[in-house]
Each structure stands twice: as structure tokens, then as C-alpha cells.
Amino acid sequence: MSQPVSLDSAISQPTGLPVVSEDLAALESIRQRVLWLSTSMIHHANRIRPNLTGLKVGGHQASCASMVSIMTSLWFEHLQPGDRVSVKPHASPVLHSINYLLGELDEKYLTTLREFGGLQSYPSRSKDPDTVDYSTGSVGIGATAPIWGAMARRYVDTHLGDTGRGRQYSLVGDAELDEGAVWEAILDPGIADLGEVVWIVDLNRQSLDRVIPNIAARRLEKMFDAAGWQVITVKFGKLLEELFARPGGDALRTRILEMPNPEYQRLLRCTAAEIRDRLPGTGPDSARIVELIATLDDATLTAAVRNLGGHDQQALSQAYREIDDTRPTVIIAYTIKGYGLPTEGHPQNHSALLTVDEYSQLAATLDMDAHNPWGRFADDSPAGRLCRSAADRLRREPVPSVPELSLPTDIGRTPKGTATTQAALGRVLLDLTRDAPEAAGRVVTVSPDVSSTTNLGGWVNKVGVWSAAERHNWFADDPETIMHWNERPTGQHMELGIAETNLVGLIGELGATWSRWGQPLLPIGVLYDPFVERALEPWSYGIYAGGQSILVGTPSGVTLAAEGGAHQSIKTPSIGLEQPGCISYEPAFAIDVEWTLLASLAKLGRPDGTSAYLRLSTRPVDQTLAAVPTDPAARERRRRQVVAGGYPIRRRDDAQVTIVAMGAMITEALAAAARLETTGVRADVLCITSPGLLFEAWQARQGRTSADSWILDQLFPTDRATPMVTVLDGHPHTLAFLAGINRVRSTHLGVSRFGQVGSLDDVYRYHGIDTDSIVTAALDILP
């Protein structure tokens, strides 16, 4: 039997892998320093920084450790200044460590992880002090963001000028692939053309609570391949590949590949003697494996079971060089959770923290000072030179100043006849192309497969559908085809599959182009209002990340009577009250749609911008009920009120009751006021367009915010304070706070149970929001 091979001699053997780094030793030094810094940031936050409350601070040392090699190779060898990277949430300390070594983060921040005003728990474009390309933290949302970032970049290129070139990387934990939003994005047909998209999957086969028994990398490979992606798998490192080339190596390879995940993970917690006993297994080739590992000394054997491709700089570098930029790529990198830490491979290491003793032992292993952990490399050292070289290579040009966009506030047309607020959306967009073509050229609409049913047909016919390459419209000469689907790079409408998460992910990235390339877009996403809640979490995250967009929910409410309870939205009216960074509007008339949409567009694509949500309806409404003033000054006053949150639509001297209505219910409110007057009861009627803005105004009046409060004086003057009835096609709590402004008696009508199929009259009566119900509520509340 041959003599045992030492670790040093084993890893010096040729493996057939090309040496692609000029200084592997320097790269390894950086890898170890990144491991140390990321571990130390979490250690300091939990073990050293005073914690007066005793509440858990947290952090994920093991999740960081599994990503260190992947990120070190990527940043210090391969990234280019035009590339953008979405980092898996729990690896944020690794990103900050790399930025620190590149000179982009001051040392003072390393002690502030998860501290108020310091480094955020997860990467944040808007809150972290260093370079963060994508905010992550909500599972699946950060992973898919670079897909939509790639699409947004291509759109800017085809409409506003060259943004340069660069890949869009996602660093994804394997457990994150359980999120359905990930596969919704991967399977969208348009994604297969995005060759700049690269995902790197950290396949450590662990989740929060356990080793996952059935993660099948081969199945994942097939799923990505079926979606048209290039699949690169990085399974093993240099040492294992060398062992596989020896006699018995084929048996060892088969044994490791077929070993259940938990069994493999258990080997990481074993001594060399236990590995010699467990690794061969009981199969027919176990004797060959015994003979092979008998040639290895203990250090080499324990290193071999840890020698996965996701921790081998040469294997990773080779994988990055194989990326095919003609289609999306996924690199599946086998890793060990907690690699290099005492918690390595433990099934419950997800949130585990090193003890003080373990941290000291790690310092000794890495030749670091536990009491002075924040050292950088000397400038003249090989690692220092590599850091400086990478910093120079990755330096980006400043983002150009955002141009001022000129948008009208009032197109000047007064709608007549009967119309719906949903139909008004398409008309306003078409009007904009005539009255403000430059601003209209920056509008981009996005929808799932509902463009025609949400009245975007005219707009789509006018501006065309965006496509990276022009496609022939085979129905262009069909006289019965009303909606023309002309796909070309100059199109301004983008349609995805029926996946609301994809839609809001895309409008979020379209709404961030002002901050990435200094080119603002005005994105409008249109979907059925009942599905807004499905889209709300990723849309909210997009707003948090700096994406400014308009979400239009239509049709809405139980007014969609014939569709039944499953398609009747109830909770969406309160979104504007509750969603930060968003103003919501529910217009009652077509002119209200115009004014609120123009005001919302004017707030997009700017550093102080904000998003908007418009809730529209298919309810036909007599537009003369709006009583739009003909005097220019009075019309402007009405417009300002509409945009600020509401306006009085009917005032009566000595009013005894106030009816407050929103959206589709304005018809019933006005009819109820007319009925009440026949009984001798005079009623004011207020049309509310934005309960969220009115709530902010009320908070401002109490000194809690800096918002304007003038609208309250025009809607709810104290000398006209009367008992109040509120009504809307949605949950009644949305408007309930209005009674508190002047502390009046109140009754709040709305929808608080699942709907029914029926006629409009039947459904309104069922929910108690019909004219009779409003009249009864007003009479009951009078003194």
C-alpha cells in the first residue's frame, strides 16, 4: 500500500483545471479576510456592542461563509463596472466586507451592522452607505430583480440612448428556489433572450431548520435547461478532482454523488477516523474507496470531504469564464453552509453565532487579532495590490443628472356623456401623446394578459409593443383585428404572462432607471384590482428599493357584480393609507382620472419621487354629475382639490348631514342627497379621491408630519361639521377616520364580506351601499 499523501502534496497535484488567477495565494488571502470580516461584523453586533434591551440582534455567519468563495472570485477577478449584482439577503456582511476591502466603506460602519442608522440587516440600495445594486431580503424578490433590471436596461437602450454593457448577476440561496416567484420569472417566455442574466446558486443543501433531504441538483439543472438557460455545475474542487483520477476514484465520486444530503453533511462533523469508517459505505465498491482513502493522511481526508466546487477559486473562475452571453446562465455551485467556521455543516447553524471562544479560535486559525479585527491589507502586499486593482477596475462613472420632465397638469378637455374611469385611463394616455409627446415618450405600460380588457387597446395600437427585435405581425392585414400587436424595439407597451409578481418586479426596475443611468421612465402597470394584493408585497419591496411606478387596479370592487365574490376586491382601497412611498387615488369621474394620473406621473423618476396606486372601475357614470367648473380659476381650484384628496361636489346651506363617497359610489351618494332633500334633510356631498392624503393632512394638523393640511379646511371646515355617513365600494374602515377630524357622529358603509353574483342593484343592496341604505343611514344618524 502506498504511503499516505499529505494535504500540501495533494493539492499541488495537477488536476487539468487551468490556473486562471495570476495570484491564487493573494486571492485566498482575500477570501480568508472576507470570511473573517463578515464573521466579525456579526460577532461584534451580538457579542460586543452593548445591548440594553436584551433583544436578539441576529445575523447569519454560516450563510455568509457559504458565499465567501463565490463572491471573492466574482468581485476580485471577474466583475466589470457595468455589471450589477443582487446578493442573497443573509450574505449582506460579505458584500460590506468586500466593499470595505475595495475602499468603498468606511471602517466606522463595520461595528454598526443592524444598528439604527448603520448597516442594514439585508442589502439596501436606499439605506446602506456603500454600493448596493439591488435591495434584497424578501425571498425570491431580490433574486428575480436583475431579470427585470436587464429588461429595463434594454428598454432604455432602445428608447433613450446607450447605457453601456454589463451582466446582471443574482446570488441565490438554494432554499430560495422554493419561492414560486422565482419560477414565474424564469419561465416567462421573454427571459430566454436575456443573455446578460447570470444566476449563481449557493447549493449548500440547508435551510433554516435542517439539512434538506431531497434537494436534487440534477432536477434543478433540467428545470433551468427546459427554460432555455445555460447550466454550469461546479460540484468539486481541485483536491477531489485529483482523487477521482486515482484508482478507486470513480467509486468515490459515485458514492459522494449518490449519498443523501444529511449523510454527507454528517461527515463534516466527523473526525478523520469516523470519516474512514463512514465514507466507504456498504455498497459493492466500498472496498475500493477504503483502499483509496487509506493513501490519504487525516488532514487531507478531512479536507477532501469539504472540497466542493463552490469553495474552489479555480473551479469558480473557470465557471465564470464559460458563461454564454447569448442566453441566461445559471451556475449551480456546491457549497457547505458555515464553510471554514466551527459551525460548519451543522443542521441548525442557520442563525447560530460563534461563542467568544470559537471566535478566538477562528482568529488564531486565520492569523487575525480578535481584539482588532478590522485591518485592511498593506498596500504593497499581493492581496493589497489585488484589492486596489479590483477597485480601479470596478470604479463606475457618476450617474448623470436626471433631466426635468415637462408634464401638463390639465389637458383641458371636459368629458361628457357616460364613461368609466377604466376607459378614461386609455384616453388620457392617448391625449398625452398629443399634448406632451416628449413626456409621453417616456411612458411605458406593462400588463399581464389583460391589455384589451383594461382599455389599453387604443394606446397599444398607437405606441406598439416593446420587443428587443422586431417581429412580424401576421394579423396586420386582417380587417377584423381591432387591437394590433406590433412588436418592435420602439414599442412602449410590455406584456408579460399572467404573473402579477413579474409585473410589479418589472415596473419597479423600470421605475429605477433614473437612479441607475440618469434616464427616468414613467412606468404604469395595469392589472385586475382583485389581484393587486397578490402583487402588493413585491411592489412594496420595489418601492423600498427606490423604484417609482404607478400601479393601476381595474376593474375593482363589488361593482364588478357579474364576476362574483372571487373577483370583487374589498381591501384594496386602504392601500394608500398603509403603503409607504405611495399615494393612492380612487377617481369618481374621467376628469379625476386625468388629473390624478398626470399628478402621479409628475412624481416619478426623481430623487424625491413617489409611487402611486389608482383604483379604477367599469361602472358607467354620467360625467355631467362632476359639475366641472367652467371658469378657469375655479377649474384649477377643483383640480388641486382632486389631487390633494377630495372635493365638495354638493354644498347646501345649513346642511344637516354630510355624505362622503369615493369612486363608483358617487352616483348613489348624489342620489341619496337628492332623496333626502325631498324629506327636508339637507346634505353636503364630498367626493374623496385619496383617503391616504387626507389622513396625512390630518396627521399634519396634529403636528405629526410635514404634509399640507389646507385640504381639510376646504372639505371639513369646522363651521360645517355635521353627522357623517361614509360609503365606498370597499372596506368601510378606509374612510372611518374622517369622522374624527371634527369629532362628529358617523356611520360607515362599505363591503366587509365576500360578494355575490348579480345585478349591480342586487349586489349594492346585498352589501348595504345602495341609495336606500345611504338614505336610511343618514336619517338614523340625525339627532
Side-chain angles (χ1 to χ4, degrees), residues 67-76 87 91 94-95 98 171:
M67 286 296 301
V68 165
S69 301
I70 291 170
M71 293 176 67
T72 298
S73 178
L74 188 62
W75 258 264
F76 290 92
V87 177
V94 180
L95 175 62
I98 288 172
L171 309 183

Side-chain angles (χ1 to χ4, degrees), residues 73 225 268 275 280 355 372 375 392 425 430 549:
S73 178
D225 179 69
L268 303 175
I275 294 173
T355 66
N372 183 25
D392 291 341
L425 171 68
L430 288 174
S549 60

Side-chain angles (χ1 to χ4, degrees), residues 421 585-589 592-593 596 614-616 662-664 687-689:
T421 55
Y585 290 108
E586 185 162 348
F589 299 100
D592 299 347
V593 175
T596 56
L614 272 64
R615 188 177 191 252
L616 305 184
M662 188 164 77
C687 182
I688 302 304
T689 55

Side-chain angles (χ1 to χ4, degrees), residues 201-523:
V201 178
D202 171 19
L203 194 77
N204 59 46
R205 294 170 286 188
Q206 287 187 235
S207 62
L208 191 150
D209 294 322
R210 59 181 179 145
V211 176
I212 302 174
N214 296 316
I215 278 189
R218 184 59 186 147
R219 182 177 61 184
L220 292 175
E221 293 170 13
K222 289 179 179 179
M223 292 169 71
F224 276 101
D225 179 69
W229 290 49
Q230 176 193 23
V231 180
I232 300 172
T233 302
V234 189
K235 292 182 180 179
F236 303 115
K238 181 178 180 179
L239 174 56
L240 273 178
E241 291 288 359
E242 191 277 332
L243 293 179
F244 296 154
R246 295 183 180 190
D250 56 336
L252 177 62
R253 183 186 183 93
T254 300
R255 166 69 172 137
I256 292 176
L257 287 174
E258 294 180 353
M259 189 180 295
N261 291 334
E263 182 182 5
Y264 173 78
Q265 296 287 113
R266 183 63 184 89
L267 291 177
L268 303 175
R269 313 292 298 173
C270 290
T271 64
E274 291 171 326
I275 294 173
R276 293 183 192 279
D277 180 59
R278 291 170 180 259
L279 181 57
T282 58
D285 288 328
S286 59
R288 297 177 64 207
I289 299 173
V290 170
E291 290 182 11
L292 172 59
I293 63 178
T295 66
L296 308 178
D297 62 26
D298 288 351
T300 303
L301 178 61
T302 55
V305 298
R306 289 160 171 77
N307 188 226
L308 299 185
H311 303 300
D312 188 291
Q313 299 294 328
Q314 289 176 275
L316 287 167
S317 188
Q318 179 64 24
Y320 297 150
R321 292 174 183 273
E322 292 175 4
I323 293 172
D324 175 7
D325 287 320
T326 66
R327 56 177 174 154
T329 296
V330 60
I331 297 173
I332 299 176
Y334 282 59
T335 63
I336 296 169
K337 196 163 186 175
Y339 181 75
L341 301 180
T343 56
E344 183 178 77
H346 193 281
Q348 280 88 48
N349 67 7
H350 181 79
S351 297
L353 299 170
L354 301 191
T355 66
V356 173
D357 287 343
E358 288 173 332
Y359 181 72
S360 297
Q361 293 168 14
L362 180 66
T365 300
L366 299 178
D367 195 23
M368 297 301 300
D369 184 351
H371 302 289
N372 183 25
W374 314 122
R376 283 191 175 99
F377 294 105
D379 289 342
D380 59 351
S381 67
R385 289 193 294 271
L386 185 53
C387 288
R388 187 168 61 255
S389 172
D392 291 341
R393 168 170 40 85
L394 294 174
R395 189 165 291 110
R396 297 172 181 170
E397 295 296 324
V399 176
S401 299
V402 178
E404 289 285 339
L405 300 183
S406 178
L407 278 155
T409 58
D410 185 351
I411 291 173
R413 186 170 54 84
T414 302
K416 294 181 173 58
T418 299
T420 72
T421 55
Q422 175 179 288
L425 171 68
R427 282 198 288 269
V428 173
L429 291 175
L430 288 174
D431 286 342
L432 196 62
T433 63
R434 292 186 290 268
D435 284 61
E438 184 177 349
R442 291 181 182 264
V443 172
V444 52
T445 55
V446 184
S447 75
D449 190 25
V450 297
S451 300
S452 57
T453 55
T454 55
N455 288 90
L456 287 179
W459 163 259
V460 172
N461 286 345
K462 175 77 172 179
V463 302
V465 178
W466 182 83
S467 175
E470 188 156 353
R471 297 176 182 171
H472 184 71
N473 179 5
W474 294 100
F475 288 86
D477 59 347
D478 184 347
E480 296 184 8
T481 298
I482 299 174
M483 188 172 175
H484 300 290
W485 209 253
N486 297 313
E487 298 180 78
R488 53 183 182 258
T490 57
Q492 291 179 239
H493 178 73
M494 306 174 81
E495 184 160 292
L496 303 173
I498 303 177
E500 288 77 12
T501 298
N502 288 353
L503 180 142
V504 296
L506 177 54
I507 63 173
E509 287 306 316
L510 290 167
T513 58
W514 66 272
S515 62
R516 295 194 189 280
W517 303 292
Q519 291 288 4
L521 294 174
L522 308 178

Side-chain angles (χ1 to χ4, degrees), residues 23 43 138 181 184 228 260 282 286 417 576 667 690 700 712 724 737:
D23 194 345
H43 182 80
S138 185
E184 286 182 0
T282 58
S286 59
T667 300
S690 178
L712 299 183
M724 179 184 294
F737 74 92

